[in-house]
Amino acid sequence: LSGEKSGALSFDFTAETDDSKAVYSVFAEPFTLSGSGEISLSVFTENDYPHEIRALLEDSSGKESRIILGENLEGGTWHTLKGKIPEDASSPVILKRIYALYQTDEEKDLGTLYFDNLVYSYTAPYTYPYKSGNVYDDFAEGEGEGMLIRAGALSAAEKTLISHYTDVEMEKVTSDSDYGILLGSRNTFSSTEKDNALFITLNTKSGGIRKTSSSQWTSLKKAIDSSKKDFIFIVSDNSIFGNDSFENKVIEDFLASTDKTITVITKGESDSLSIINGVRYFTLAPIDNDFDLSSRVEKIHYLEFHLDDTLSYIWKPLID
């Protein structure tokens, strides 16, 4: 909270009594905070200020907390004060008031405090993308060593300022690897080998492999059967499965029948992973599929794989 003018809080602690006393700056409308985080406040005092400045908070259960923002301020300069919201405070938390506090035996004085730039900062705890129920104990998840592969999804054709920014960042991330996968950058069949991995790109824009191009099924099978690589990545902008349940079962069974470690990566409505008969099926959601504008950038992830004798992977946020 900032403006053209600063708030002013005048205090007079010169009374003869030595009891604790306070002067409050009360907000016309209390500020609602998400929960654990930090409050910062710019404070100016013309003369040295030998007392505490505190904030009064109230959580959703009605419990009040008083946090110290700063004390013993040097006069003639602005100070940035900070205070952490208690971790056990129930969300949401209300900032009710900021106050100057005189305590017993402190210097009896008077003056004015000027307030500006009241800021609430909050870092949401990192939560991993959705996983279907059969993969919580996937042994391959975690940091690894060896060949570095990064996979991410570009936004749709209609660009916005935010989607352009995330696309540029995703291109940087994926290019800074031994092999980069960018969903949304190509949509034709291709296959290429690098180190101990075979990378296959499919065109499934019409709904499935065969429906888009019947020859792709033959090309896919031939590429896998003829390759001597141990790790195979199948990449497509859309799901490799269509509306034909029989055909889908054939695809599942074929991929599961090989002696390769197969990973399928496609775009989807959310970031997810399913393991079907030993084959990992990842989906990556581009920015277009996120409905929360205020936090959409923080929700964009990419996948980082390492290939050595085994495969390992980890989800990573595009923007830290």
Side-chain angles (χ1 to χ4, degrees):
L1 179 65
S2 183
E4 296 180 356
K5 297 181 179 180
S6 300
L9 178 64
S10 296
F11 62 92
D12 185 349
F13 296 146
T14 60
E16 291 300 322
T17 61
D18 204 28
D19 299 328
S20 294
K21 51 186 73 73
V23 179
Y24 297 91
S25 177
V26 181
F27 302 110
E29 295 183 4
F31 291 100
T32 301
L33 315 176
S34 299
S36 60
E38 184 178 74
I39 299 170
S40 66
L41 177 69
S42 296
V43 178
F44 178 86
T45 174
E46 292 181 356
N47 303 308
D48 291 349
Y49 175 80
H51 315 291
E52 290 181 356
I53 298 175
R54 295 188 180 187
L56 176 64
L57 309 172
E58 182 181 302
D59 71 9
S60 60
S61 69
K63 178 183 176 182
E64 290 188 338
S65 302
R66 293 165 175 81
I67 61 174
I68 300 173
L69 298 177
E71 58 184 324
N72 298 323
L73 305 183
E74 179 185 354
T77 186
W78 282 94
H79 301 267
T80 299
L81 311 183
K82 296 182 180 182
K84 290 187 177 181
I85 298 171
E87 293 184 358
D88 60 353
S90 302
S91 299
V93 176
I94 295 174
L95 173 59
K96 299 181 71 175
R97 62 191 66 172
I98 295 172
Y99 60 99
L101 175 66
Y102 169 89
Q103 301 182 82
T104 303
D105 296 330
E106 290 183 348
E107 179 183 342
K108 294 179 173 62
D109 61 350
L110 55 82
T112 301
L113 298 172
Y114 297 93
F115 299 147
D116 203 351
N117 299 323
L118 175 61
V119 176
Y120 166 62
S121 57
Y122 169 66
T123 301
Y126 180 70
T127 54
Y128 285 96
Y130 167 80
K131 302 177 182 182
S132 56
N134 63 336
V135 296
Y136 280 101
D137 297 321
D138 186 9
F139 66 89
E141 184 172 9
E143 298 283 359
E145 296 180 350
M147 179 183 176
L148 173 62
I149 302 165
R150 286 175 174 162
L154 296 176
S155 59
E158 184 178 348
K159 299 296 183 182
T160 65
L161 183 62
I162 294 178
S163 65
H164 175 73
Y165 168 73
T166 56
D167 282 354
V168 170
E169 292 301 308
M170 192 67 77
E171 289 172 357
K172 290 179 182 177
V173 165
T174 54
S175 64
D176 187 22
S177 63
D178 297 320
Y179 191 91
I181 297 170
L182 266 179
L183 301 177
S185 63
R186 53 191 176 187
N187 207 14
T188 57
F189 180 88
S190 66
S191 65
T192 184
E193 294 183 339
K194 185 176 178 64
D195 293 348
N196 195 22
L198 167 67
F199 299 90
I200 300 173
T201 300
L202 297 175
N203 180 358
T204 55
K205 65 181 180 181
S206 298
I209 298 174
R210 190 175 60 84
K211 187 174 182 180
T212 303
S213 175
S214 58
S215 63
Q216 278 191 122
W217 172 246
T218 303
S219 299
L220 172 66
K221 187 175 185 304
K222 181 179 179 180
I224 293 177
D225 288 343
S226 62
S227 177
K228 300 184 182 302
K229 305 301 181 181
D230 294 323
F231 300 95
I232 297 176
F233 289 82
I234 298 174
V235 180
S236 177
D237 287 354
N238 309 99
S239 174
I240 65 172
F241 300 114
N243 296 323
D244 188 326
S245 58
F246 176 76
E247 181 180 341
N248 294 340
K249 185 67 166 57
V250 170
I251 295 172
E252 285 184 8
D253 290 347
F254 168 69
L255 296 181
S257 68
T258 71
D259 59 353
K260 318 285 187 180
T261 298
I262 294 185
T263 301
V264 179
I265 308 172
T266 63
K267 280 188 177 182
E269 292 297 319
S270 63
D271 296 329
S272 69
L273 165 63
S274 295
I275 300 178
I276 303 175
N277 298 326
V279 177
R280 292 178 180 83
Y281 295 85
F282 290 95
T283 63
L284 285 167
I287 197 169
D288 348 349
N289 293 331
D290 195 315
F291 300 103
D292 184 359
L293 178 62
S294 63
S295 62
R296 60 166 66 182
V297 173
E298 287 81 358
K299 294 182 178 180
I300 302 298
H301 301 92
Y302 65 92
L303 283 163
E304 183 172 285
F305 299 90
H306 280 93
L307 294 186
D308 201 349
D309 294 330
T310 59
L311 174 141
S312 61
Y313 69 89
I314 190 168
W315 298 92
K316 288 195 170 183
L318 178 63
I319 309 298
D320 291 326

